[in-house]
Amino acid sequence: SSEGLRHFLKVIAVALAVLQFLTWVAQEYIVPGFGFEYDALMVLFHLLFFVTSMMFLLVWKLSLMRIDRLRERLRLGSAAMAGHWAQVTREYEAAVRLIDGMWRS
């Protein structure tokens, strides 16, 4: 569900931001005295890492949700799908191609 996805992303975003902030503070104490350029570079690096990590987790969660949705549909409707297996197979193949394309690109 979209509400579950929003909650997942909020929790992950806060946890990742706190972890990155603590890492940045530790870097400042371990390697002090490099000046403004170093600080700006580290902020940029942490921001880039945060965005790419969130995008990776979003694609991962969407892939899992799509697979779970298809699995649930098959489980609930297996008795009523006597003549619809060709359509379900096409949907499964489309989902596999989409997820495979997302992860290989």
Side-chain angles (χ1 to χ4, degrees), residues 8-80:
F8 171 78
L9 289 176
K10 283 180 187 177
V11 169
I12 292 296
V14 168
L16 188 60
V18 167
L19 183 64
Q20 282 195 282
F21 178 73
L22 293 174
T23 303
W24 181 60
V25 168
Q27 286 174 338
E28 283 294 315
Y29 283 114
I30 291 172
V31 188
F34 276 109
F36 176 74
E37 291 85 11
Y38 177 77
D39 291 340
L41 185 63
M42 285 297 104
V43 167
L44 184 64
F45 171 75
H46 284 285
L47 182 64
L48 182 64
F49 181 78
F50 178 81
V51 170
T52 55
S53 298
M54 289 302 296
M55 291 303 296
F56 172 80
L57 289 169
L58 175 65
V59 169
W60 175 75
K61 186 66 174 175
L62 287 173
S63 299
L64 285 180
M65 287 174 66
R66 182 174 287 259
I67 291 168
D68 288 342
R69 201 174 322 129
L70 184 59
R71 184 181 298 140
E72 186 68 21
R73 185 169 167 221
L74 287 173
R75 187 179 64 79
L76 290 176
S78 61

